[in-house]
Amino acid sequence: MGQGMERFMLAGHNLGLDLMRATEAAALAAGRWAGRGDKESGDKAAVDAMRAILNQVRMAGTIVIGEGEKDEAPMLANGEKVGTGWGDRIDIAVDPVDGTRLLAWGMRNSIAVLAAAEGGTMYDPHMCFYMEKLVVSQNAADVIDLDAPIADNIRKAAAAEGKDVSEFVVGVLNRERHNDLVNEIRAAGAATRMFTDGDVAAAVAAATPGVKIDMLAGIGGSPEGVVTACAMKCLGGRILARLHPTTDEERRRTAEAGFDVDKVLDTNDLVGSDKTLFVATGITDGDLVDGVRYMPGGDARTHSVVMRSESGTVRWVEAHHRLDKVSAWRAAHGG
């Protein structure tokens, strides 16, 4: 292992805490737009704030999983270089606002999220926007099968979790395409937890002990699948996924780019490194983290989670911000 990678995971320095400053900045910027019906402005504020902090972090980072292409939103673009250029070569996956509609509507579970891994180890699914996914915790990691009926997966995962099927909860994105899936989950005796957007938060919640989701199932964003895989490396959970082209043209482009659209992708296919980081800061209150609180006098509070695969450490961080001092520091340091 080279000197650079030793720095990446030294016990005395957790890059995830540096990256947390970027998700905190994005959440603080986006939180001002919660419930205002303007997802583009909230997203742009988060992108600008996240980029400014990322460019101060000592690393040679590359955005492998960016955001904005599908929605034509403001972007931290795929291939963009971030960081000081010194230090470790790092693959970065970002979503400055996971759940832009949730933010615009002032609804739960909008987060600022970022994942990192050793350079050259992240799967790049940019040719295909969607994936079929199945996510569970460490307890059920060895019993799931993406090609099995959902009832079988529920039964086996519930047993592995030491639960009755009637106590088991499956998170599902609330889309018409999932109507049959929802009916099958309920027919199996399990409950559903429907969410309108933001499947990173729901997927990570499914693998986090003590959160009221036991499994995530259904079709969601493929970039979010890679972010989720980084979190699974930290939590010991598992994601199984398969690319899901929505048109014949997208299927053709994806196949011509060398992707096997029929292959079941496991956690290690989505991120090849065992040294990953996952960081999220709440924008609105949610199942995983609480949202930003703006307090009288100009201060604010954020709630974040920082996960590190090598040590298996999961940190929950509540931070209080003097926004006047934050603004002055950023002005003095160009960010």
Side-chain angles (χ1 to χ4, degrees):
M1 181 182 294
Q3 183 177 0
M5 189 45 59
E6 289 173 352
R7 287 197 304 273
F8 180 55
M9 288 300 175
L10 273 177
H13 178 246
N14 185 344
L15 180 63
L17 297 176
D18 297 334
L19 297 176
M20 182 185 70
R21 293 176 50 234
T23 59
E24 286 177 340
L28 287 166
R32 297 290 191 186
W33 294 93
R36 297 183 180 274
D38 185 351
K39 67 178 185 178
E40 288 80 12
S41 293
D43 200 23
K44 183 179 187 305
V47 167
D48 291 345
M50 180 175 279
R51 178 185 282 117
I53 298 300
L54 284 177
N55 283 332
Q56 297 170 17
V57 176
R58 183 181 173 86
M59 64 178 179
T62 300
I63 303 293
V64 175
I65 306 295
E67 64 92 50
E69 290 183 46
K70 181 172 63 178
D71 302 319
E72 297 182 356
M75 293 176 65
L76 273 161
N78 293 359
E80 182 174 340
K81 303 299 182 183
V82 292
T84 62
W86 296 89
D88 308 312
R89 188 168 68 90
I90 304 296
D91 283 353
I92 302 287
V94 299
D95 200 342
V97 181
D98 178 43
T100 53
R101 281 187 291 188
L102 301 177
L103 170 66
W105 295 341
M107 296 177 67
R108 290 173 56 83
N109 285 314
S110 181
I111 61 174
V113 63
L114 187 154
E118 295 174 281
T121 64
M122 274 188 187
Y123 184 78
D124 180 1
H126 69 278
M127 296 300 296
C128 189
F129 286 134
Y130 292 100
M131 282 178 174
E132 179 186 0
K133 306 175 196 175
L134 190 63
V135 180
V136 292
S137 75
Q138 183 174 16
N139 292 337
D142 294 333
V143 301
I144 58 171
D145 178 352
L146 191 64
D147 290 321
I150 190 65
D152 290 353
N153 281 309
I154 289 170
R155 177 177 52 79
K156 291 178 180 179
E161 294 283 2
K163 292 186 173 185
D164 188 83
V165 168
S166 64
E167 302 173 304
F168 201 80
V169 179
V170 183
V172 182
L173 190 62
N174 190 7
R175 297 289 187 272
E176 186 175 350
R177 63 179 178 260
H178 290 144
N179 287 349
D180 289 344
L181 174 64
V182 168
N183 290 336
E184 290 169 13
I185 291 168
R186 293 170 179 168
T192 55
R193 181 80 173 256
M194 308 301 294
F195 56 98
T196 59
D197 291 276
D199 71 355
V200 170
V204 175
T208 303
V211 180
K212 297 179 181 179
I213 300 176
D214 300 299
M215 173 185 286
L216 175 115
I219 297 164
S222 54
E224 290 85 348
V226 178
V227 174
T228 297
C230 290
M232 294 304 105
K233 288 292 184 87
C234 301
L235 291 166
R238 187 181 187 189
I239 176 172
L240 296 178
R242 179 163 40 221
L243 294 174
H244 184 81
T246 56
T247 65
D248 290 341
E249 173 61 19
E250 187 179 23
R251 174 175 285 272
R252 182 189 62 78
R253 289 199 319 266
T254 302
E256 288 180 354
F259 294 88
D260 183 349
V261 296
D262 297 315
K263 179 181 178 181
V264 174
L265 302 167
D266 211 328
T267 309
N268 287 328
D269 296 311
L270 296 173
V271 58
S273 174
D274 287 327
K275 297 180 175 64
T276 68
L277 301 162
F278 174 88
V279 187
T281 300
I283 302 173
T284 59
D285 284 345
D287 296 311
L288 187 63
V289 281
D290 294 333
V292 178
R293 295 283 187 275
Y294 299 99
M295 295 176 283
D299 293 356
R301 188 213 72 181
T302 57
H303 187 221
S304 303
V305 59
V306 182
M307 303 180 185
R308 184 184 185 192
S309 66
E310 191 175 45
S311 63
T313 304
V314 178
R315 288 181 170 87
W316 302 93
V317 180
E318 181 177 298
H320 291 255
H321 305 266
R322 284 279 304 274
L323 296 183
D324 55 343
K325 289 194 171 186
V326 170
S327 297
W329 186 90
R330 288 180 183 166
H333 293 81

